[in-house]
Amino acid sequence: MPSQKRRSRLSTPGCIETAVAFFTALSLLSVPRLWGCRITVLPLGKIFSLAALACIVSALVVSVDAPRFSDHFIDDVAFRAAWITIAQVPLVYLLATKRGPLNIIAALSYERVNWIHRWSGRMLFLSATTHMGIMMRSIDVSDIIRSPDKVMIVVRYGVASYGTLAWIALTSALPVRRWSYRAFYLNHWASTSVLLWVLFNHVPRSARAPIYASTAIVAFDRLFHYYALVRNNVCIRVVKRRLSKFRKGPSRKAITVGLPVKMTAPTLASPTPESTTVIRICNVPFSWTPGQHVRLYLPELGCCEVHPFTPATCSQPAVSPALPDDVENDRLLSPTTPATAESPLPNEMVLLVRSHSGLTRRLAEYCSTWLSRPCPNASCPSSSLTAYIDGPYGTPPAWEAYSTLVLVATSTGVSFSLSIMDWLAQLCTLDPTRLGVKRIHFVWSVRHLEPQFEASVADMLVRHATTLRDAGVDVTAVFYATCPEANQAVIEGEEVVIEGGEEEYMEELDYTPKHDFDEVEELHGFDSQESFDSRASSSTLIDEEAPRGSFWSQFEPRTVSSPSTREQGCTCSFVRSQLQSNSKTSSGLVARVYGSRPHLPSMLNSAARARGRESVMVAVCSSADVVAESRNEVAKMNLAFVAGKRDAGVDIFSEGFS
């Protein structure tokens, strides 16, 4: 009887949920910093997985029948390492696919398994090095070069295989990828193809099954990849005829290749050039879910550049069959169907593009040139860009199934949060019974003031939040502008100087510094996008190394803003002074904090209530340090749930490339 009671107690859902929360918390925790430096961006869960993989590979390499540390044992280890190496080749190629069997059957997106692909490739290189190092002890280099023997020909292919593998490992290093991702991508594809060919000639026929499997995986991935490209970018549309109002008969249909890209005209006058470009891709013929990303190709701006972006909108339920009239088609927008970033046409994809270098810089220059051109009715009409989209990619969770959503984003990562808001707002109209969300906490942190960018984000957020509030969802939003030059807030027309962080700001408003979303007064002003290094990735999938110390340490407010301490080129103070008179309210929804950064621990604990069996999801789209800090806080919450200090665990979903 006691044993049966023990089994029933262990089989209860509470015990299972507690065990899952405990292991989830351990997998989310980050490695502590050593002397202020981050050792690795991988959480403990991934480190344990890699350690298990390394132990398995090492055990398989040394598990031979020969006596340990004898000459025969060393030779057996060399041959065993060769077999282990060739057996790992299909795994490495399987993890490298975007539309391969693993992605389709297991519903795993490629960016979620990229880290396993890189580390399994390193394991393969280590086992190949073991084989190569031992075998070269008994082979003369001159025989490899000059001997016409068939055995030496096979050895030459083996040396070529190892040389190709070493070249792949060398050119896949992070500095090389950051220097030129295009060069890395082209070299990687060419080198991996050559590797399969030289391995095919090196291994005996009885060991070629992994080579055939790897070739089949690559062919399967390429086949579905090209099929998806054709499906996304080649379609039949109704084309409007000239003087169609005076003609009778059916409309003409034509096959169109590519999708039209439209620039968004600014609604606010900015005293300084903005570094964020808002573009619209019209009549997208496929659907995507919130949190997914696409890979954008603009051949007119970069023949070999493909960039990942997260759409700021969600696919609409209906697609307009005809191309919309637009100023870029040498026509004026119809007054009854205006198309802007804040009010997109059906199934339009809105992208927020941060200008850094390469394609994104050329896109910003194209937009500036387009804005400087005369009216389309003048003698110099504008021309449209054509985009090709690869995707969508990603397997986000069912956002509508959670009771509380905490959306945290920095810079253009706000498009990730806006797409979720758009999807939930659509559910309010299409299928309200599916919407289980009761509270949404929207947090956006930016660096420098950029009025048009902030206005576009605020307008989209207010439109979605209004629909959600009408459906009974509690929505709160806080915008942070962390630039020290923007630490003057305007409250109902009165200027208040904030000479410190968020604590002083709360005291100025007679609030206790609890960082509660419900206790922040609304401030009216403009904030902008975070200023990253010009060499960093420009997508909303932020891929960059953070500086030393915490990510937020670069946003620490300063009490004195003398000319010597101001950031070079910063015009936030000037922008604020010019735009204070034009600031507008956001229906009491958006609270704005200037000269301070969000305190993630207090913010997450305030949003995710400790009491109550409510499901909570924390969605983060930011740099590696912000994601790591959010994971640590969620891990602490789950450990608190295991200890009985919380009534439910907390889930987290992060978007970003490591």
Side-chain angles (χ1 to χ4, degrees), residues 258-468:
L259 305 173
V261 179
K262 307 301 177 186
M263 301 292 108
T264 300
T267 57
L268 295 176
S270 177
T272 57
E274 297 196 2
S275 58
T276 303
T277 305
V278 182
I279 64 174
R280 300 179 290 111
I281 302 178
C282 304
N283 293 84
V284 180
F286 60 89
S287 61
W288 66 96
T289 57
Q292 288 187 316
H293 69 275
V294 297
R295 297 169 62 86
L296 182 67
Y297 174 51
L298 299 173
E300 297 181 30
L301 301 181
C303 61
C304 298
E305 292 189 57
V306 181
H307 281 253
F309 296 101
T310 300
T313 55
C314 188
S315 56
Q316 304 293 325
V319 181
S320 177
L323 289 174
D325 292 343
D326 204 321
V327 290
E328 282 204 280
N329 284 338
D330 306 332
R331 307 178 187 92
L332 293 176
L333 285 171
S334 172
T336 58
T337 58
T340 63
E342 296 78 21
S343 301
L345 290 171
N347 223 43
E348 275 195 344
M349 182 180 290
V350 176
L351 301 179
L352 310 178
V353 182
R354 172 75 173 176
S355 174
H356 287 297
S357 61
L359 182 141
T360 56
R361 177 178 53 82
R362 290 190 290 271
L363 180 61
E365 293 173 353
Y366 176 89
C367 183
S368 300
T369 304
W370 175 75
L371 291 174
S372 63
R373 287 175 180 173
C375 177
N377 294 327
S379 59
C380 184
S382 61
S383 60
S384 297
L385 289 175
T386 300
Y388 298 88
I389 295 180
D390 176 24
Y393 295 107
T395 53
W399 307 106
E400 67 276 7
Y402 291 89
S403 300
T404 302
L405 290 178
V406 184
L407 309 179
V408 181
T410 60
S411 187
T412 49
V414 70
S415 59
F416 172 79
S417 302
L418 289 174
S419 64
I420 299 174
M421 297 288 290
D422 188 10
W423 166 246
L424 297 177
Q426 289 185 32
L427 281 183
C428 294
T429 304
L430 299 177
D431 192 0
T433 58
R434 291 178 54 189
L435 186 63
V437 179
K438 299 178 181 178
R439 282 176 295 277
I440 299 176
H441 302 272
F442 190 101
V443 180
W444 181 36
S445 179
V446 294
R447 179 59 172 166
H448 293 290
L449 298 179
E450 199 170 338
Q452 179 57 39
F453 179 39
E454 190 270 348
S456 300
V457 172
D459 288 343
M460 285 189 283
L461 174 62
V462 169
R463 188 179 74 250
H464 302 326
T466 301
T467 304
L468 289 168

Side-chain angles (χ1 to χ4, degrees), residues 166-180:
W167 172 255
I168 293 174
L170 179 64
T171 56
S172 299
L174 182 61
V176 177
R177 299 202 308 267
R178 287 186 174 176
W179 172 69
S180 176

